[in-house]
């Protein structure tokens, strides 16, 4: 993976960083003799470490004056899909054209407003772990809905490949 920042702390406490190249390699020259601690981040642009806890950086300690190559393996980060359905509360028919605001976990970007298709659904694919908040903000003419009802969905790809939110709306 290109562009991953690798950090080495040398035996004297000096910090050295280098980004990986197109072959996924980072090189450090002229490090002082002694132990070294090598760290890569827990997640990198859609990948997570295979060898460590996905919520913590992966660290390798090299003792002594050994010249060493350390190999870290990254795998694609697990993601999940969020399926939002808006249906008529009496007929259970899908409601196309309903607009739903989806707020992403903190730091993951701005909220998005999506519109249900003919099947009354919105499918958001490839979501990372975190809490997402959904709110119906508008429905087509002839329907009414409580537009401030928020549903918080805890997406956890490790435990479930998809999460479902169902809204029922009434006819005017």
């Amino acid at each position: 993976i290109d562009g991953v920042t690798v950090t080495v702390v040398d035996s004297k406490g000096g910090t050295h960083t280098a980004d990986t190249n197109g072959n996924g390699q980072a090189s450090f020259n002229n490090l002082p003799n002694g132990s070294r601690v090598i760290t890569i981040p827990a997640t990198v642009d859609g990948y997570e470490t295979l060898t460590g806890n996905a919520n913590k950086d992966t660290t390798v300690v090299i003792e002594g004056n050994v010249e060493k190559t350390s190999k870290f393996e990254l795998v694609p980060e697990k993601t999940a899909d969020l399926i939002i359905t808006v249906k008529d509360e009496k007929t259970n028919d899908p409601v196309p054209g309903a607009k739903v605001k989806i707020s992403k976990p903190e730091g993951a970007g701005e909220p998005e407003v999506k519109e249900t298709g003919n099947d009354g659904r919105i499918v958001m694919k490839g979501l990372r772990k975190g809490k997402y908040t959904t709110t119906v903000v508008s429905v087509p003419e002839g329907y009414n809905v409580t537009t401030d009802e928020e549903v918080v969905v805890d997406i956890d790809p490790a435990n479930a490949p998809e999460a479902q939110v169902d809204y029922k709306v009434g006819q005017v």
Side-chain angles (χ1 to χ4, degrees), residues 102-112 127-132:
I102 301 106
S103 298
K104 300 173 184 176
E106 188 174 322
E110 296 297 315
E112 296 181 52
L127 300 179
R128 293 179 171 173
K129 180 178 177 148
K131 292 188 187 302
Y132 294 76

Side-chain angles (χ1 to χ4, degrees), residues 26 74 91 124 129 159:
L74 298 171
T91 66
M124 294 186 68
K129 180 178 177 148
N159 293 319

